[in-house]
Amino acid sequence: MRRSERPEGVDVTTTDILQRGLYYEEFAVDARYLHRPGRTATEADNVLFTTLTMNTQALHLDAAFADAQAPFHARLMNSMWTLSTMVGSSVAQLTQGTLVAQLGFGDVAFPHPLFAGDTLYTESVVVDKRLSSSRPGQGIVTIAHTGRNQDDTVVATAVRTVLVHRLPEGGAS
C-alpha cells in the first residue's frame, strides 16, 4: 500500500495492482477462461503475418488464385496467425509474468477456415497440472485452447503445455 494525495488535499491509501497471469497454485483443472475482447482479422494482418513468416502460399496472398479455388473461393487467413492470435489472447489472463517457458503444442487443428472480417474469440480450459520434478518452484500446466468465429464455429484448437512459476514465498505478489 502507498499513500497518495487527491487534488483537494485529502490523503488516501491506494493499492497498486499489477496485471499478471496465474501462478501454478492458482490454475484450477477444468476451469474455463473466456478471453475477451475478440480480435477481428484483417487483410493487412494476413498479408503482414504471411510475408513476415516467408509463407508464399497463394491462398493467403493472391486474391485471383484463391477466388478460383474450391471450396472457399476466397483468401484464407494464415492458420499460423489464427494459432498465434488464439494463444496470444490468453496471455494476459493466464501467463503474463508467471511463464517460465513454453514447452510445446499438441493436437493443433483447424476444422474451419478464418477469413478477413471474421472475429476470433478464444477460450482456454486447464486440462492438467503437476509440479515439476526437476525444477523446484515451478509447475507444468496443460491448457486446451479453442478459437471460434463470430458465428460460434470452431476455427482452431490446440493443446499447449507451459512451465510456470509457483507462488512466491509469502503468497502472491
Side-chain angles (χ1 to χ4, degrees):
M1 299 246 202
R2 65 183 170 88
R3 310 237 353 126
S4 62
E5 296 230 0
R6 289 187 176 188
E8 62 272 6
V10 177
D11 198 27
V12 296
T13 301
T14 61
T15 301
D16 291 335
I17 299 172
L18 176 66
Q19 179 160 342
R20 64 166 173 81
L22 304 177
Y23 287 103
Y24 173 81
E25 291 82 358
E26 297 171 315
F27 281 95
V29 174
D30 294 331
R32 182 172 59 164
Y33 298 89
L34 305 177
H35 310 298
R36 300 296 184 267
R39 174 67 160 77
T40 301
T42 69
E43 275 191 44
D45 294 327
N46 201 31
V47 170
L48 179 61
F49 186 91
T50 298
T51 55
L52 281 174
T53 57
M54 299 177 64
N55 181 339
T56 60
Q57 177 53 254
L59 287 170
H60 306 312
L61 296 173
D62 184 330
F65 174 84
D67 289 350
Q69 302 303 307
F72 302 112
H73 299 285
R75 274 179 288 173
L76 309 177
M77 287 300 293
N78 186 313
S79 58
M80 294 296 101
W81 181 90
T82 304
L83 176 64
S84 296
T85 304
M86 182 173 69
V87 170
S89 71
S90 74
V91 168
Q93 210 170 2
L94 299 181
T95 60
Q96 180 66 47
T98 58
L99 180 78
V100 176
Q102 182 109 267
L103 299 179
F105 283 92
D107 300 322
V108 176
F110 303 100
H112 188 276
L114 193 70
F115 300 98
D118 285 347
T119 300
L120 178 64
Y121 295 98
T122 303
E123 62 188 55
S124 302
V125 176
V126 177
V127 295
D128 191 32
K129 72 179 211 175
R130 68 174 178 82
L131 292 174
S132 172
S133 58
S134 62
R135 299 181 69 105
Q138 298 172 2
I140 297 170
V141 180
T142 303
I143 304 165
H145 299 286
T146 302
R148 300 173 189 276
N149 68 13
Q150 66 281 354
D151 299 320
D152 206 36
T153 301
V154 174
V155 297
T157 59
V159 176
R160 178 169 69 127
T161 304
V162 295
L163 183 66
V164 295
H165 288 290
R166 294 192 67 196
L167 278 166
E169 292 295 320
S173 59

